[in-house]
Amino acid sequence: MSGRLHPDIYKESVFVMEINLDKLLAKRTGKMTFKEISKFPCINQDIAVIVDKKVSAKELMDEIKKAGGKLFLGSKVFDVYEGANIGLNKKSIAFSLSFGANDRTLTDEEVANVMKNIVERLEKQFKAELRK
């Protein structure tokens, strides 16, 4: 069952629905898994690198994941820039990176070491330059 709350109850458009989990779970296929949400905060770091135009954000993200190790939680591209101050046949790609652990709050030193590994790997694999 689903529907909209009456405007006398709430002026904004609010919708509600009921889900029968027994029926939903009975239809599942395969093994279900879950990952516990950490009680500890994650740390976000931004990084921008200048690479050849032919290098894709996906390639960079794959290497970032490898270099990030077990503390790496994920990455998102938030900017791609091409312009005169970057260089001919070059582009800048900026990422927001997330790090964390389920058993503790990470130290600045731990994150700095992972970031150093990431930068070194991108420099080696793609001749990337850290954009400042």
Side-chain angles (χ1 to χ4, degrees):
M1 177 171 24
S2 65
R4 181 175 181 255
L5 288 180
H6 194 279
D8 289 344
I9 296 173
Y10 199 80
K11 300 284 184 220
E12 301 292 323
S13 294
V14 176
F15 294 84
V16 294
M17 69 179 197
E18 181 180 357
I19 298 174
N20 185 326
L21 289 177
D22 291 331
K23 287 184 180 180
L24 181 64
L25 292 174
K27 301 238 183 236
R28 73 176 184 231
T29 58
K31 186 176 180 180
M32 294 179 68
T33 61
F34 75 97
K35 183 177 179 182
E36 186 176 338
I37 297 173
S38 178
K39 298 172 188 170
F40 300 94
C42 68
I43 295 176
N44 297 310
Q45 294 277 315
D46 293 343
I47 184 174
V49 292
I50 299 170
V51 293
D52 188 272
K53 279 187 181 181
K54 295 177 184 176
V55 177
S56 72
K58 168 103 171 70
E59 290 174 295
L60 292 168
M61 288 171 79
D62 289 345
E63 290 302 318
I64 289 169
K65 183 177 180 179
K66 289 176 190 173
K70 63 182 179 181
L71 300 180
F72 178 75
L73 300 177
S75 63
K76 294 179 186 175
V77 174
F78 70 86
D79 185 51
V80 177
Y81 174 77
E82 295 179 30
N85 58 340
I86 296 297
L88 189 61
N89 294 318
K90 300 279 186 178
K91 65 182 172 184
S92 169
I93 303 179
F95 298 90
S96 178
L97 309 177
S98 297
F99 304 96
N102 285 336
D103 60 345
R104 69 189 185 287
T105 299
L106 299 180
T107 65
D108 290 341
E109 185 178 337
E110 286 177 300
V111 176
N113 286 335
V114 175
M115 288 296 289
K116 181 179 177 233
N117 290 341
I118 289 170
V119 170
E120 287 174 355
R121 187 166 193 133
L122 296 180
E123 288 172 344
K124 182 180 177 184
Q125 296 294 328
F126 303 104
K127 296 181 182 156
E129 299 171 42
L130 194 58
R131 186 171 178 197
K132 298 176 182 179

